[in-house]
Amino acid sequence: MKVAAEGCNLLLFITSYLLLISGLGVHSLSYDHSATTKCLAEPRRAQYGGGIIVNPGFDHNIEGWTAFGNGAIKEVMSNGGNRFIVAHNRTQPLDSFSQKVQLKKGMLYTFSAWLQVSEGSDTVSVMFKTKRNEMVRGGQVIAKHGCWTLLKGGIAANFSSPVEILFESKNSAEEIWADNISLQPFTKKQWRSLQDASIERVRKRRVRFQITHVNETALKGAKVITRPIKLNFPFGCGMNHYILTNEDYQSWFVSRFKFTTFTNEMKWYSTEKKQGEENYTIADAMLKFTQENDISVRGHNIFWDDPKYQPDWVRTLSPADLTKAAAKRMKSVVSRYKGELIAWDVMNENLHFHFYEDKFGENASAVAYATAYELDPEPKLFLNEFNTIEYSGDEASNPAKYIKKLKEILSFPGVSGMSAAIGLQGHFASGQPNLAYMRSGLDLLATTGLPIWLTEASVDPQPSQAEYLEEVLREAYSHPAVEGIIMFSGPAQAGFNATTLADETFKNTAAGDVVDKLIQEWGTGPNIATADSRGIVDISLHHGDYDVTVTHPLIHSPITLNLSVKKDFSLETIHVKMHA
């Protein structure tokens, strides 16, 4: 059912939008993280009241909407009195309904719509047609008949131009139904403000100290120094075999990171180049180095579904011999590192490639997860994939299809109790990152309730690489559902030539400066604060464990204590009494 008082709503929308485009009201606009992958009997409200979409809920028939292509459009009312739009008599995938809107360069636009098809199920995409007739996909959903499903996506405008919003369903025999459509613009300043607010809310807690003399007199000017021992958010970097022989690389890495993934050294093609000749020497040595330096390791990977990345000898095996070889590989690598890894990428790039399903059947991936879980039940077991959040044009691995595949694996016997996790590689190509699409994808994936990691974050070389790298990392860190970030980057001496953080002399690149800035900003450095006239110090600290030192110019003996700041930490005053 629609909300009444349309005139008031329209006035409110116009006022809000004028404030928005003029750069005012930056701190008043909130972001709507709400999402669902359930198919509902009735659509939920339009996010942001529809944003800049005219007639988003079809309260005024189909005003503002036109037919695109060869089909026809009409308004339909459900038995419950809900109005929605229908594209019918379709003959081509893009035959649908459309509306023109004006995009402004540099703005981020979040999109949402509730969709249904007239029979069965089909993937429906939102498309943005530019004045050059380019079609930019902004998001996809698997729509069904008989219930409404949320499509959530977005577009980053790298141009100022009118665009036409329309929809695609490749099964042109089906009707497309839509309701409560929204397109909400955000300036970069607003987006950053929302990120900062989210970081403050989900990554930090405020801690209050009251510093007094033993006689309860407030000690104005007392210094509270907090030094992190261990932060709770894993922010790490990929590592390769050069770490074993390059002391400069060792120093560079150890001074920055406590989490890593070996880029190639645990992969099957590295540990068994010839059939029957397993060699874990390099991986073992790297693991020893990380353990000596208190660095946690993600296992990468047990299997890689891309046919071209199988060991050469594997591709020629008969089905029977491949079954034996794969079973041996699984048992060998998982058992060898049992209890020493925090995670495994069990099946790498399983949405784009199907080497093992083609050989063993449709449950091949699920069997691999069940077996890995049986061999070592402790690590988080990831489905690791690319282009789920970084590129809206990749239809193979969009959030809807990722969740569908994940549900298939989790419904398989033998995985009950398994610590499953979502692995998003995060390899961003040239051009401005589509943070609106990235965030909407994270919102949808968060509905699973599973931990989400960016597992291989990188940005391709380009003039704005450092700026875009910061945008991607900050976006991930600010999202409430993301629980870890590993970059696939490093120094030039170790062969990292895509996202290079240090040159041949280990001098920071611009991207390296960004990473060091974020490491400092996200809580690894000491924090020094001074007590006010009441002897009170308020500090916002990232989740983690801290050594705390309290000093005062007139008191010779400092006070030291330990502090653990957790997600559920509530603001309580920590009383510190100092002796002269």
Side-chain angles (χ1 to χ4, degrees), residues 346-402:
V346 178
M347 194 62 76
N348 200 45
E349 300 177 358
N350 187 226
L351 290 167
H352 283 92
F353 308 105
H354 315 99
F355 180 81
Y356 293 95
E357 279 87 354
D358 291 343
K359 301 292 184 181
F360 300 147
E362 62 181 2
N363 290 324
S365 295
V367 170
Y369 281 87
T371 307
Y373 176 53
E374 182 181 5
L375 290 169
D376 187 359
E378 293 305 317
K380 285 183 170 62
L381 301 182
F382 282 78
L383 178 66
N384 197 44
E385 192 53 82
F386 65 91
N387 279 352
T388 301
I389 56 170
E390 57 263 51
Y391 178 49
S392 60
D394 192 334
E395 300 181 62
S397 59
N398 64 67
K401 290 186 177 177
Y402 187 108

Side-chain angles (χ1 to χ4, degrees), residues 210-219 533-535 575-578:
Q210 183 158 30
I211 319 300
T212 65
H213 195 275
V214 288
N215 63 8
E216 304 293 341
T217 305
L219 285 174
S533 60
R534 301 168 296 163
H575 296 277
V576 180
K577 294 184 179 182
M578 305 191 74

Side-chain angles (χ1 to χ4, degrees), residues 426-473:
H427 294 298
F428 286 80
S430 295
Q432 180 182 356
N434 186 350
L435 299 185
Y437 180 78
M438 177 181 177
R439 187 178 293 185
S440 69
L442 292 171
D443 291 343
L444 290 165
L445 293 163
T447 63
T448 64
L450 297 176
I452 299 172
W453 285 52
L454 264 65
T455 54
E456 306 177 18
S458 67
V459 173
D460 281 358
Q462 56 194 294
S464 299
Q465 182 186 44
E467 174 191 347
Y468 293 161
L469 178 64
E470 179 173 358
E471 289 183 3
V472 168
L473 296 177

Side-chain angles (χ1 to χ4, degrees), residues 394-412:
D394 192 334
E395 300 181 62
S397 59
N398 64 67
K401 290 186 177 177
Y402 187 108
I403 292 170
K404 181 175 182 289
K405 182 66 177 183
L406 192 59
K407 286 181 177 178
E408 290 171 2
I409 292 170
L410 294 177
S411 66
F412 190 76

Side-chain angles (χ1 to χ4, degrees), residues 515-527:
V515 170
D516 282 354
K517 180 183 76 171
L518 293 178
I519 287 173
Q520 181 69 23
E521 181 183 325
W522 293 346
T524 60
N527 188 312

Side-chain angles (χ1 to χ4, degrees), residues 118-325:
S118 57
E119 59 182 51
S121 66
D122 193 32
T123 298
V124 179
S125 303
V126 59
M127 309 294 288
F128 295 89
K129 181 187 176 187
T130 71
K131 63 181 182 181
R132 296 180 180 178
N133 291 324
E134 297 171 327
M135 290 289 182
V136 179
R137 181 172 281 104
Q140 296 177 300
V141 72
I142 301 172
K144 301 176 182 178
H145 175 62
C147 55
W148 294 92
T149 308
L150 176 67
L151 187 158
K152 196 170 189 184
I155 186 171
N158 56 11
F159 52 82
S160 292
S161 169
V163 298
E164 193 166 6
I165 301 174
L166 58 138
F167 296 85
E168 177 190 63
S169 169
K170 292 181 179 177
N171 183 356
S172 56
E174 292 181 342
E175 296 177 353
I176 303 174
W177 304 358
D179 198 4
N180 294 342
I181 301 170
S182 173
L183 187 70
Q184 176 63 45
F186 293 85
T187 66
K188 282 192 173 182
K189 187 176 181 180
Q190 288 171 327
W191 200 264
R192 175 62 184 273
S193 175
L194 293 169
Q195 288 174 332
D196 291 344
S198 181
I199 289 171
E200 192 69 31
R201 185 174 64 254
V202 304
R203 304 290 178 215
K204 304 173 76 176
R205 286 293 180 269
R206 295 198 68 79
V207 182
R208 170 169 289 181
F209 296 87
Q210 183 158 30
I211 319 300
T212 65
H213 195 275
V214 288
N215 63 8
E216 304 293 341
T217 305
L219 285 174
K220 179 182 178 180
K223 302 286 187 184
V224 176
I225 306 166
T226 55
R227 293 183 176 88
I229 305 168
K230 183 178 181 181
L231 295 174
N232 291 354
F233 186 89
F235 179 51
C237 191
M239 175 191 294
N240 64 27
H241 64 274
Y242 288 95
I243 202 85
L244 299 176
T245 56
N246 190 321
E247 292 184 0
D248 290 333
Y249 184 16
Q250 293 173 6
S251 299
W252 179 89
F253 197 102
V254 170
S255 67
R256 288 168 171 80
F257 304 111
K258 288 296 183 182
F259 293 86
T260 193
T261 302
F262 301 166
T263 55
N264 287 297
E265 289 76 10
M266 283 187 177
K267 292 173 181 172
W268 196 1
Y269 62 60
S270 296
T271 62
E272 195 176 1
K273 295 179 180 178
K274 293 184 179 180
Q275 187 174 9
E277 297 181 12
E278 292 184 331
N279 186 342
Y280 289 95
T281 304
I282 294 175
D284 287 351
M286 291 175 66
L287 189 61
K288 182 175 182 290
F289 171 81
T290 60
Q291 291 171 341
E292 290 171 348
N293 290 281
D294 193 29
I295 298 168
S296 299
V297 179
R298 296 183 69 260
H300 178 72
N301 49 58
I302 299 175
F303 293 115
W304 195 345
D305 238 339
D306 189 340
K308 73 178 181 181
Y309 290 116
Q310 308 305 316
D312 290 340
W313 57 270
V314 165
R315 291 196 291 268
T316 63
L317 295 178
S318 67
D321 288 340
L322 179 59
T323 300
K324 294 176 184 177

